[in-house]
Amino acid sequence: MTAAEQVTDPICAHGEGPVWHPGWGGLRWVDMLAGDVLTLGDTVTRRNFGKVAAVMRPRTSGGAVLAVERGFVLLDNGSDGFGAGTEPRFLGELWSSQDVRMNEGGCDPDGRFYCGSMPYDETSPVGKVYRLDPSGEVSVVLEGVTISNGFAFSPDNSVAYYVDTPTHRIDAFDYDPVNGLTNRRVAVAVPEEAGGPDGLTVDAEGYIWLALFGGSAVHRYAPDGRLDGRIELPTSQITACTFGGADLDKLYITTSQLALEPGSQALAGALFVADVGVRGLPAHPFAG
């Protein structure tokens, strides 16, 4: 069992989507339903992108790609995507219903950006996982999703891990550049009493780190599904995690205040970090 240290005050209503990228100076994450992207520095800075800012990744050309409420945004100029002249370039709505929004995602090893949608009511399987190719083409790679969440790859890039929270599973897919995601199967069955499986990341040893919404913890699972470790946190709604720091040996963890009684959990919405004794993997960038 490992302890986590508090990094920020409880500044997010619904912290999510952390990602570390040296090109923009370190860690960014989102206050998702406020539509804000946060950057960690001597102080935390925010930039708003409308109603929802779901998940962000760096671009190989500089700048960033971001999933917003109903589509994708490119930030073209400036090495970190936030420099002078970096006006967002919205690629268009993918659907018109105001009952569904983007939630979580990431990039594959070939530079394609994925994000899964979910219904605001969190109960009906009307979500989809979309893939934005470097060409700008968008395709649907999964349907029938309820709360689309964590998305990450094994160290050799041959396996993708994915969460649809109500299934209480981490699923695995075989991955290759031509066929994409195939051979879906259960990698980890998460007991309901542990909390809802949320965001995840994979370390350099191939172990999966899973945030547990309602579970006050991050679990580390072996590739064979065995529970290998646990990080306890002083608030219940743990949303996502990523490796960061110069050596990618610190696990940053986001948390949420969503639907909690005001004042019931003093540290809900804070960012935490844990020294976990292993290194992570660099975030795959978007090639577009």
Side-chain angles (χ1 to χ4, degrees):
M1 188 178 295
T2 304
E5 298 180 0
Q6 183 181 353
V7 177
T8 71
D9 291 335
I11 56 175
C12 286
H14 186 50
E16 264 280 13
V19 60
W20 180 277
H21 177 56
W24 58 39
L27 188 78
R28 285 194 176 140
W29 73 109
V30 299
D31 193 351
M32 186 179 287
L33 302 182
D36 291 345
V37 174
L38 287 71
T39 302
L40 183 65
D42 294 333
T43 61
V44 176
T45 58
R46 289 177 177 256
R47 182 171 178 180
N48 182 261
F49 290 90
K51 186 176 178 181
V52 171
V55 62
M56 174 176 274
R57 286 294 184 270
R59 297 172 65 190
T60 55
S61 60
V65 60
L66 172 69
V68 292
E69 187 178 26
R70 294 193 289 275
F72 297 111
V73 163
L74 295 179
L75 290 157
D76 295 311
N77 302 317
S79 63
D80 70 350
F82 275 29
T86 54
E87 288 302 311
R89 180 157 56 96
F90 183 51
L91 302 184
E93 285 197 346
L94 298 176
W95 64 87
S96 59
S97 170
Q98 298 187 21
D99 298 329
V100 177
R101 65 172 176 84
M102 289 293 203
N103 193 55
E104 177 63 290
C107 288
D108 70 24
D110 296 284
R112 299 173 289 199
F113 183 51
Y114 300 66
C115 194
S117 64
M118 60 171 281
Y120 275 102
D121 68 14
E122 302 182 3
T123 61
S124 48
V126 297
K128 300 177 182 180
V129 176
Y130 296 86
R131 189 184 80 193
L132 173 65
D133 287 3
S135 66
E137 181 182 355
V138 178
S139 56
V140 174
V141 297
L142 284 178
E143 298 191 57
V145 172
T146 302
I147 303 178
S148 190
N149 256 308
F151 184 69
F153 285 80
S154 62
D156 67 359
N157 294 325
S158 67
V159 178
Y161 296 105
Y162 171 73
V163 167
D164 183 0
T165 296
T167 67
H168 277 271
R169 303 190 314 253
I170 302 172
D171 286 346
F173 294 83
D174 294 333
Y175 174 79
D176 69 72
V178 175
N179 298 307
L181 305 175
T182 59
N183 188 27
R184 185 174 185 172
R185 59 207 181 267
V186 178
V188 178
V190 180
E192 290 197 18
E193 60 269 21
D198 206 316
L200 59 79
T201 191
V202 177
D203 66 33
E205 297 176 358
Y207 284 63
I208 307 159
W209 297 79
L210 176 69
L212 291 160
F213 195 87
S216 303
V218 173
H219 281 180
R220 186 190 195 221
Y221 291 99
D224 64 6
R226 172 177 47 88
L227 179 62
D228 181 74
R230 176 180 171 92
I231 302 173
E232 295 275 1
L233 288 114
T235 186
S236 65
Q237 296 186 160
I238 317 306
T239 55
C241 53
T242 197
F243 284 92
D247 296 319
L248 292 179
D249 59 354
K250 300 181 184 301
L251 190 73
Y252 286 92
I253 303 164
T254 53
T255 66
S256 174
Q257 304 177 29
L258 198 64
L260 292 175
E261 286 291 327
S264 63
Q265 296 187 29
L267 297 181
L271 176 73
F272 294 85
V273 68
D275 290 315
V276 293
V278 295
R279 293 187 178 188
L281 302 166
H284 292 305
F286 178 57

